[in-house]
Amino acid sequence: QQQVKQSPQSLIVQKGGISIINCAYENTAFDYFPWYQQFPGKGPALLIAIRPDVSEKKEGRFTISFNKSAKQFSLHIMDSQPGDSATYFCAASPSGGGANSKLTFGKGITLSVRP
Amino acid sequence: NAGVTQTPKFQVLKTGQSMTLQCAQDMNHEYMSWYRQDPGMGLRLIHYSVGAGITDQGEVPNGYNVSRSTTEDFPLRLLSAAPSQTSVYFCASSPRDTDNEQFFGPGTRLTVL
């Protein structure tokens, strides 16, 4: 049973547009929700993360929106650029007891930003 | 700091062979993890460690062994490689006292024939 589900599976956006990637989770014990960005041939790198005590977090052009009652969170990339073209993973983990060593990842989505 | 390093970058094995994927970090992180990445599957946790001498299983541990004798190193052993273990393997580390960020290595691409 997949605990973290991403949608859509792939996304093509024009330069300057808004990219929106959604994620849904099932385990109510999850309370840390990061998004990772991965370029071809590289390891994933943390982009932005949120905890459920806030509904939104913004860092530059990247925003996470969190809906605890719906068990959903999303990544918004404003003013999308060709350099944002990468694979994006949402993930989740519970707190405590080494939780930050055992993330549960979604399947990933490939974003292509057209010039 | 070199961060998280993994060796080798690429490896080809025959079915039944054994090998060890190496992972080291120089950030004095307590937590370390191994993930595998397969097309359309995302990253799946194999094993993890919360400190030297302490390891536990993740989502897909079968066919893999780990040990953690030092804070810096966390090797992953394949005892008898199978084609189903063809994948890209990532090692990650994280400190205990921050907001859960994991730092990933560059990965090892393994092919089992």
Side-chain angles (χ1 to χ4, degrees):
Chain A
Q1 186 179 12
Q2 190 183 358
Q3 294 200 55
V4 178
K5 296 182 180 180
Q6 282 186 242
S7 62
Q9 290 188 318
S10 63
L11 185 61
I12 300 174
V13 175
Q14 290 296 123
K15 179 181 175 181
I18 302 173
S19 303
I20 302 174
I21 308 168
N22 301 302
C23 205
Y25 65 97
E26 298 179 2
N27 189 343
T28 55
F30 289 153
D31 75 345
Y32 173 71
F33 303 91
W35 283 92
Y36 278 80
Q37 180 188 56
Q38 184 182 33
F39 294 104
K42 304 292 185 182
L46 181 67
L47 192 60
I48 188 172
I50 197 168
R51 289 195 175 275
D53 54 345
V54 297
S55 61
E56 186 174 284
K57 182 176 181 180
K58 183 177 181 179
E59 291 183 1
R61 296 185 294 111
F62 302 93
T63 300
I64 294 182
S65 299
F66 185 83
N67 185 330
K68 187 174 182 178
S69 61
K71 293 190 287 185
Q72 295 177 345
F73 58 108
S74 60
L75 176 68
H76 295 233
I77 305 174
M78 310 300 288
D79 187 25
S80 298
Q81 299 297 312
D84 297 328
S85 298
T87 299
Y88 292 81
F89 294 95
C90 63
S93 71
S95 281
N100 60 345
S101 60
K102 46 185 180 180
L103 291 170
T104 298
F105 283 86
K107 292 186 176 182
I109 167 191
T110 301
L111 170 65
S112 296
V113 181
R114 297 285 170 81
Chain B
N1 287 350
V4 179
T5 57
Q6 294 183 237
T7 56
K9 279 185 163 315
F10 303 93
Q11 184 70 50
V12 178
L13 292 178
K14 294 181 179 179
T15 297
Q17 287 184 316
S18 63
M19 79 158 296
T20 299
L21 306 185
Q22 301 293 343
C23 175
Q25 52 93 8
D26 61 359
M27 298 174 283
N28 201 33
H29 286 170
E30 293 196 33
Y31 298 161
M32 296 186 75
S33 308
W34 276 102
Y35 296 86
R36 61 177 288 175
Q37 183 176 17
D38 302 291
M41 297 295 291
L43 290 95
R44 292 180 292 170
L45 181 67
I46 304 171
H47 285 285
Y48 66 100
S49 170
V50 298
I54 306 170
T55 64
D56 206 347
Q57 296 181 349
E59 179 185 356
V60 288
N62 292 342
Y64 308 95
N65 279 357
V66 292
S67 60
R68 184 112 178 259
S69 57
T70 67
T71 298
E72 295 78 20
D73 301 297
F74 191 41
L76 178 72
R77 280 181 284 277
L78 284 70
L79 299 179
S80 179
S84 61
Q85 294 178 305
T86 294
S87 187
V88 181
Y89 291 85
F90 289 100
C91 178
S93 74
S94 53
R96 182 170 61 172
D97 56 355
T98 63
D99 203 9
N100 295 12
E101 177 174 0
Q102 278 200 317
F103 296 85
F104 282 79
T108 294
R109 183 175 292 275
L110 175 68
T111 301
V112 182
L113 303 176

